């Protein structure tokens, strides 16, 4: 079992941070030497550098409708930070499956195979309508499955044809050099029966939301059973908010101050590492860790929690 750890870069968090338009204006005794070209993308790269320097395997960039596009941010980071994996989340309603596949393999060529594909959970109809998407609710899972089938198909076969409800391709398929790189690892999400069944058929990794241990154990067992019926194996992942400090009082105080969510793991560095190790024992091997503020917490979690987590998982056998 290999544990993969990712730090989440939330493009919607602290939106004014490193934004040139948010800099103070007016007379001042100090001259602001920052140029207008120093902007939020430098901040994203700074977080990614923090993750890389503290031994995270990669970064996870969630889709946020009103913020920078996660795939564009991932591409910008890829040239600045050479080692880490970049998992960019995007919605299935964002365009052509063939063009999404072309973007993915172009990214793979540029970044030497470091891209991961995360399909965003389906938004409610009003949000999708604002993006021009009016597909009925009961067809959303089917569309994700078709998107993945077509994207993998044009990457792996030539000529490739497909006729579905949402996508249609005739005599398509990529030629060299686009078909010479690996297709990105696919991350799916959700807890419904439909979502788990889809992951059993099509995901490489299924990301669960943070939840109590008993609930996660049941979800892992259900998905594992479904995947076995499909003759496949799916890796289990988790998006887990964390807040760790040197002592518990400080951790609790900061958790209350920033109103971190109820499913977050809050405690000392040792306590948080132990809770993560207990999750790893369920068979969870992909950990997307997240905390506000992203830059400072990336260093803190990377320097103090990850080494303890690694040490514990070296001797905790997986149950699944």
């Amino acid at each position: 079992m290999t544990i993969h750890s990712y730090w989440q870069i939330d493009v919607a968090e602290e939106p004014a941070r490193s934004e040139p338009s948010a800099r103070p204006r007016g007379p001042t005794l100090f001259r602001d030497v920052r140029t207008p070209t120093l902007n939020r993308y430098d901040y994203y790269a700074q977080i990614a550098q923090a993750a890389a320097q503290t031994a995270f395997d990669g970064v996870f960039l969630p889709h946020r409708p009103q913020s920078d596009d996660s795939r564009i941010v991932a591409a910008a980071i890829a040239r600045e930070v050479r080692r880490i994996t970049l998992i960019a989340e995007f919605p299935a309603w964002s365009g052509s499956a063939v063009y999404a596949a072309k973007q993915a393999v172009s990214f793979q060529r540029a970044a030497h195979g470091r891209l991961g594909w995360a399909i965003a959970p389906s938004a409610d109809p009003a949000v999708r309508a604002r993006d021009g998407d009016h597909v009925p609710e009961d067809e959303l899972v089917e569309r994700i499955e078709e998107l993945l089938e077509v994207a993998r198909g044009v990457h792996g076969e030539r000529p490739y044809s497909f006729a579905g409800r949402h996508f249609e391709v005739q005599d398509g398929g990529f030629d060299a050099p686009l078909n010479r790189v690996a297709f990105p690892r696919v991350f799916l999400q959700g807890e419904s029966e439909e979502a788990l069944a889809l992951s059993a058929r099509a995901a490489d990794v299924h990301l669960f939301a943070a939840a109590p241990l008993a609930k996660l154990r049941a979800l892992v067992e259900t998905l594992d059973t479904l995947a076995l019926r499909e003759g496949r194996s799916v890796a289990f992942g988790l998006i887990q908010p964390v807040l760790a400090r040197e002592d518990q009082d400080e951790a609790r105080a900061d958790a209350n101050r920033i109103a971190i969510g109820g499913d977050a793991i809050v405690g000392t560095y040792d306590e948080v590492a132990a809770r993560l190790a207990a999750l790893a024992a369920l068979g969870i091997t992909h950990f997307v860790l997240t905390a506000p503020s992203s830059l400072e917490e990336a260093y803190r979690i990377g320097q103090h929690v990850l080494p303890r987590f690694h040490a514990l998982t070296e001797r905790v056998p997986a149950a699944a």
Side-chain angles (χ1 to χ4, degrees), residues 180-252:
R180 294 289 191 266
V181 292
F183 195 79
R185 181 179 280 167
V186 172
F187 294 71
L188 298 181
Q189 301 173 54
E191 296 179 3
S192 68
E193 290 182 15
E194 278 189 313
L196 295 177
L198 172 62
S199 278
R201 296 191 298 272
D204 296 312
V205 181
H206 185 92
L207 290 174
F208 297 108
L213 208 62
K215 180 179 178 180
L216 287 171
R217 180 182 291 110
L219 289 168
V220 164
E221 290 173 354
T222 299
L223 178 53
D224 197 39
T225 301
L226 292 172
L228 285 174
R229 286 179 192 164
E230 297 290 337
R232 303 181 71 243
S233 63
V234 178
F236 308 120
L238 180 68
I239 300 176
Q240 180 62 62
V242 292
L243 194 144
R245 296 291 185 266
E246 285 191 9
D247 65 71
Q248 196 172 72
D249 289 342
E250 184 184 5
R252 293 291 170 195

Side-chain angles (χ1 to χ4, degrees), residues 41-297:
Y41 279 77
D42 298 285
Y43 174 59
Y44 298 144
Q46 199 176 15
I47 301 172
Q49 288 284 9
Q53 291 174 17
T54 54
F56 279 96
D57 294 287
V59 294
F60 179 86
L61 299 112
H63 168 71
R64 301 294 187 228
Q66 301 300 322
S67 301
D68 288 321
D69 183 87
S70 61
R71 287 174 292 182
I72 300 296
V73 175
I77 291 172
R79 303 299 287 182
E80 297 285 335
V81 187
R82 298 288 177 157
R83 179 185 64 78
I84 58 174
T85 299
L86 301 122
I87 304 168
E89 184 183 74
F90 66 98
W93 62 90
S94 64
S96 155
V98 175
Y99 196 70
K102 183 174 181 178
Q103 286 182 318
V105 293
S106 298
F107 192 117
Q108 292 291 65
R109 280 171 39 75
H112 306 289
R114 291 185 288 141
L115 178 67
W117 249 24
I119 308 299
S122 297
D124 65 53
V127 172
R128 291 190 294 108
R130 285 199 290 271
D131 288 347
D133 178 44
H134 303 284
V135 169
E137 288 281 310
D138 61 358
E139 296 179 15
L140 296 178
V141 168
E142 178 185 52
R143 178 171 60 179
I144 293 174
E145 189 161 13
E146 283 191 12
L147 181 144
L148 293 174
E149 184 171 348
V150 170
R152 286 166 165 156
V154 294
H155 172 256
E157 298 177 35
R158 180 181 172 86
Y160 174 79
S161 297
F162 178 88
R165 186 192 297 266
H166 305 282
F167 300 99
E168 188 167 340
V169 180
Q170 187 171 358
D171 295 332
F174 298 156
D175 205 343
L178 298 182
N179 62 359
R180 294 289 191 266
V181 292
F183 195 79
R185 181 179 280 167
V186 172
F187 294 71
L188 298 181
Q189 301 173 54
E191 296 179 3
S192 68
E193 290 182 15
E194 278 189 313
L196 295 177
L198 172 62
S199 278
R201 296 191 298 272
D204 296 312
V205 181
H206 185 92
L207 290 174
F208 297 108
L213 208 62
K215 180 179 178 180
L216 287 171
R217 180 182 291 110
L219 289 168
V220 164
E221 290 173 354
T222 299
L223 178 53
D224 197 39
T225 301
L226 292 172
L228 285 174
R229 286 179 192 164
E230 297 290 337
R232 303 181 71 243
S233 63
V234 178
F236 308 120
L238 180 68
I239 300 176
Q240 180 62 62
V242 292
L243 194 144
R245 296 291 185 266
E246 285 191 9
D247 65 71
Q248 196 172 72
D249 289 342
E250 184 184 5
R252 293 291 170 195
D254 280 354
N256 291 333
R257 179 177 55 80
I258 63 175
I260 197 166
D263 289 320
I265 297 176
V266 177
T268 65
Y269 301 139
D270 285 328
E271 289 170 343
V272 172
R275 293 276 301 278
L276 293 175
L279 292 164
L282 295 179
I284 293 171
T285 54
H286 293 257
F287 287 82
V288 178
L289 304 182
T290 176
S293 295
S294 192
L295 175 60
E296 292 78 6
E297 295 297 329

